[in-house]
Amino acid sequence: MIKKLINPKTDNYFRFKSIVLSNEMPWYYEENTLSYKTNENDPPLLSHTFLRRPDKTKRYPVSLSNLVEDFEKVVEDIIDVNHIDIHCIYRLNANMTQPLVNAKTSPPHVDHRDGFEHKNMIIYLTDAGGDTIVGEHRHSPQEDDIIVFGGEKHFHYFPLETRRVVLVMTYA
């Protein structure tokens, strides 16, 4: 089930958003949406990993960006306003997808396949569309929307006209 949260739109948020959407933001090409192979069409994206998810080789998150603390401030503001109980952040990531000719959606997936029970938070930084589907629930995003959902299988539609930039967090 998808729950929409209040975005407090603090100075921390707008400062961080301007960094992520700027020409100075380092983006890294990922050949596939998922870190593991599937039989489904799995298109590329641009990504910036702030906090890498734990896996079988490292059972703890690893900071990969000097911007991780800025992202954490944004998350703390969201937690305070929405009264969310978060014990541990597993992953912080920015994802950018472009309109694609040969793909309509990302492959359905779970963000942590290695047994980490988790929840997801998505913050939409652009107004590009790209609905998020979780089970039978659909969220048609607007710029600055924030949603949370359990760690179940989900996917998104690719934008039709402009880049779709989201912040992704997984947590317990």
Side-chain angles (χ1 to χ4, degrees):
M1 178 190 218
I2 297 173
K3 179 181 178 185
K4 187 174 175 184
L5 300 182
I6 297 167
N7 186 338
K9 298 182 181 177
T10 61
D11 289 343
N12 289 331
Y13 174 77
F14 285 115
R15 193 174 314 114
F16 188 67
K17 179 180 174 179
S18 71
I19 292 168
V20 173
L21 296 179
S22 78
N23 291 335
E24 302 299 315
M25 180 68 177
W27 291 99
Y28 302 92
Y29 179 77
E30 300 286 343
E31 189 173 343
N32 300 100
T33 304
L34 306 178
S35 60
Y36 53 90
K37 297 290 181 199
T38 69
N39 292 330
E40 300 185 44
N41 185 17
D42 189 0
L45 78 151
L46 295 175
S47 174
H48 183 97
T49 302
F50 302 94
L51 190 63
R52 187 178 68 206
R53 74 184 91 202
D55 59 27
K56 289 181 179 177
T57 61
K58 289 245 190 248
R59 293 265 174 214
Y60 54 89
V62 177
S63 178
L64 297 179
S65 173
N66 62 348
L67 297 171
V68 71
E69 289 179 7
D70 296 306
F71 196 160
E72 183 185 16
K73 289 176 188 171
V74 170
V75 169
E76 290 299 326
D77 292 339
I78 293 166
I79 288 169
D80 289 346
V81 136
N82 290 280
H83 308 289
I84 301 173
D85 191 22
I86 294 180
H87 302 286
C88 181
I89 296 174
Y90 291 133
R91 176 178 176 239
L92 297 171
N93 218 79
N95 293 338
M96 182 192 325
T97 54
Q98 303 283 346
L100 296 173
V101 174
N102 297 328
K104 291 185 180 182
T105 70
S106 65
H109 64 282
V110 173
D111 282 4
H112 295 281
R113 296 178 350 130
D114 294 326
F116 290 95
E117 285 196 32
H118 66 283
K119 295 179 182 174
N120 293 64
M121 178 184 289
I122 301 176
I123 304 169
Y124 300 87
L125 298 184
T126 57
D127 200 18
D131 288 9
T132 298
I133 310 298
V134 180
E136 296 181 15
H137 302 276
R138 175 185 290 255
H139 179 73
S140 298
Q142 300 295 312
E143 185 173 343
D144 301 322
D145 276 0
I146 303 171
I147 64 168
V148 293
F149 53 92
E152 63 258 47
K153 199 174 271 194
H154 60 283
F155 66 93
H156 70 84
Y157 283 86
F158 287 99
L160 298 176
E161 297 178 9
T162 186
R163 69 181 180 158
R164 175 186 189 265
V165 181
V166 299
L167 300 175
V168 177
M169 178 178 87
T170 62
Y171 64 96

